[in-house]
Amino acid sequence: MSGRIAGNKKAYHDYFIDETFEAGIALTGTEVKSIRDYGLSLKESYAHVRDGEAWLLGVHIKPYTQGSYNNVDPDRPRKLLLHKKQIRYLDERTSEKGQTIVPTKIYFSRDNKVKVEIGLARGKKNYDKRATIAKKDAQRDIERALKTRSQ
């Protein structure tokens, strides 16, 4: 089972994503089983670097139904598995004003490992969001006009 599990559209709406990184994530067995059942939410999640380690916060993985005592806190911080060089780079960049780390999607890799795509992001202002929406609307109108013309 490889492929995308969850995406974070709100990240692309609220932020300009400058760079993306692929990271592993430290999970328990029941969390992986719950993720396979699509019991995952990326809303309001973010990552940060503390003491030379990257952590993912705000991700909700619902408890596995047959997990019993093996289930852990659904909102606990989860460690991101990155190279030291990447962690140092992210730490330097997020110390700049306006930079943050947001997860953009979670997916299974080819070898069935859970991976997180994180993006180094800058916040959008309201006028940037309106411009993006206007651009999407214009593109949709163009596609609609071309479609009706070709029929």
Side-chain angles (χ1 to χ4, degrees), residues 110-139:
R110 289 188 186 159
D111 54 348
N112 282 329
K113 301 231 187 306
V114 178
K115 300 288 183 177
V116 180
E117 182 181 89
I118 56 173
L120 195 57
R122 290 178 290 123
K124 283 186 180 178
K125 303 284 188 218
N126 279 336
Y127 57 83
D128 291 328
K129 293 177 188 178
R130 285 193 295 270
T132 303
I133 291 169
K135 190 175 175 183
K136 283 182 184 177
D137 287 345
Q139 186 64 33

Side-chain angles (χ1 to χ4, degrees), residues 23-27 56 59 61 78-81 106 114-116:
I25 183 169
L27 299 170
L56 188 61
V59 175
I61 300 175
R78 291 167 178 91
K79 187 174 182 179
L80 291 176
L81 308 173
I106 292 186
V114 178
K115 300 288 183 177
V116 180

Side-chain angles (χ1 to χ4, degrees), residues 32-142:
V32 174
K33 289 181 179 187
S34 182
I35 288 173
R36 287 189 190 281
D37 291 340
Y38 300 100
L40 174 76
S41 173
L42 286 177
K43 288 184 180 173
E44 305 298 322
S45 58
Y46 64 98
H48 74 99
V49 178
R50 182 178 64 222
D51 299 329
E53 295 178 334
W55 294 90
L56 188 61
L57 302 160
V59 175
H60 179 81
I61 300 175
K62 74 177 185 182
Y64 185 56
T65 53
Q66 285 91 32
S68 68
Y69 65 89
N70 291 322
N71 282 329
V72 293
D73 179 25
D75 297 316
R76 73 182 179 91
R78 291 167 178 91
K79 187 174 182 179
L80 291 176
L81 308 173
L82 291 161
H83 294 283
K84 282 266 191 235
K85 195 179 219 179
Q86 290 174 323
I87 292 172
R88 269 189 250 119
Y89 178 75
L90 288 171
D91 193 25
E92 289 172 8
R93 292 292 304 268
T94 55
S95 64
E96 298 171 15
K97 186 174 188 230
Q99 295 281 329
T100 188
I101 307 168
V102 292
T104 55
K105 65 181 173 180
I106 292 186
Y107 57 94
F108 282 106
S109 65
R110 289 188 186 159
D111 54 348
N112 282 329
K113 301 231 187 306
V114 178
K115 300 288 183 177
V116 180
E117 182 181 89
I118 56 173
L120 195 57
R122 290 178 290 123
K124 283 186 180 178
K125 303 284 188 218
N126 279 336
Y127 57 83
D128 291 328
K129 293 177 188 178
R130 285 193 295 270
T132 303
I133 291 169
K135 190 175 175 183
K136 283 182 184 177
D137 287 345
Q139 186 64 33
R140 195 177 307 120
D141 291 342
I142 291 169

